[in-house]
Amino acid sequence: MIQSLHHQPLLVVLRAEQPALLAPQLGQLADLGVRHVEIAWGPSPAWIPECRRLIEAFPELCLGSASICTPAALAASLEAGFSYGVSPVLDAELLETAAMARFALVPGVMTPTEVNRARSLGCPIVKLFPAASVGIGHWRRLRDPLGPPLPFCIAAGGLQPGDVRPWLEAGVDAVALGSSLVAQGPEPLRLVLEALQQRP
C-alpha cells in the first residue's frame, strides 16, 4: 500500500448507508485515475455483500474500508474482502486482531503520544485525524521532538481538493478527501490529479 501511495498520494473516502449506491462515484473516480478509495463501514446487513460486489466490479481500484472502530466493523471488513482498513482511532486490540488476520489496519492519531504509541506498536502507516483541526504544520512539528523515523502519514478529515498539494509540501505523505468532493463535482479532483502527476 505504501509503495502505491508514493505513486499517487491521494485517497478518497466515500459514505453511504447502501454501498451499492456508490458504484457511479467509484466508476467516475476510476475514470479520473484515482486508485485508492475507502468505503466507510456501516451496520446495515447489506454492507458486506454490497461491498463484496463493488470490490469485484472495480478491480482497478485499491478499495479499503473506513471508520473501523469496533471488532464488528473489522470482522465485516475482513468478510467483505477489503485489502486494507482505516480507523479514526488508535486501538491496540483492534490492531492486534487485524495483524493476526494479516489485514493492514491504519490507525488514527493526533497527539504526539498517539503517534509514538502507534510507532511502538509497529504501525508503518498512520492517519492524522482530523487534520483540519490540527493545521497544516502539525506533522512537521512532531518530527524533531519525536525523532525519526515517523510512520508514513495520511492526512484526513476536513480537507478540500485545494489542500492536497500544500499538505504534501508541508510534510505529510498522502492526503484523504471525503465529503468535500460530493458538492464540488469531478473538476477540482481532476485538477489535483494533474498537479500530482507534475510533482518531481
Side-chain angles (χ1 to χ4, degrees):
M1 180 184 175
I2 291 180
Q3 185 175 4
S4 59
L5 280 171
H6 278 306
H7 295 298
Q8 188 188 94
L10 176 70
L11 303 93
V12 174
V13 184
L14 300 178
R15 294 183 180 276
E17 289 187 15
Q18 296 177 281
L21 298 177
L22 298 173
Q25 286 178 271
L26 288 172
Q28 187 177 67
L29 290 171
D31 290 343
L32 285 170
V34 173
R35 289 296 166 257
H36 299 87
V37 182
E38 301 165 20
I39 297 176
W41 176 79
S44 166
W47 190 84
I48 292 173
E50 289 187 11
C51 286
R52 190 180 292 127
R53 286 194 290 271
L54 290 176
I55 292 169
E56 293 172 355
F58 296 95
E60 70 275 30
L61 294 176
C62 182
L63 290 176
S65 55
S67 301
I68 307 304
C69 300
T70 64
L74 177 57
S77 300
L78 291 169
E79 189 174 344
F82 283 106
S83 58
Y84 67 96
V86 181
S87 175
V89 299
L90 176 63
D91 186 312
E93 291 185 8
L94 275 182
L95 289 167
E96 182 179 359
T97 302
M100 290 176 62
R102 297 188 176 182
F103 180 75
L105 180 62
V106 178
V109 297
M110 177 189 275
T111 68
T113 300
E114 290 172 336
V115 175
N116 194 55
R117 176 65 171 153
R119 186 168 60 177
S120 70
L121 291 170
C123 300
I125 313 176
V126 296
K127 178 172 86 166
L128 179 63
F129 180 84
S133 297
V134 295
I136 195 169
H138 183 76
W139 190 252
R140 181 164 283 167
R141 293 187 191 102
L142 296 178
R143 287 180 176 173
D144 287 342
L146 291 179
L150 291 182
F152 185 99
C153 176
I154 302 169
L159 300 182
Q160 306 290 325
D163 294 321
V164 173
R165 189 155 187 171
W167 274 78
L168 292 172
E169 291 172 350
V172 301
D173 300 290
V175 174
L177 299 176
S179 57
S180 62
L181 292 174
V182 177
Q184 299 183 42
E187 185 62 15
L189 184 56
R190 184 185 66 78
L191 294 175
V192 168
L193 291 167
E194 289 180 356
L196 291 177
Q197 290 176 352
Q198 298 168 7
R199 293 175 75 225

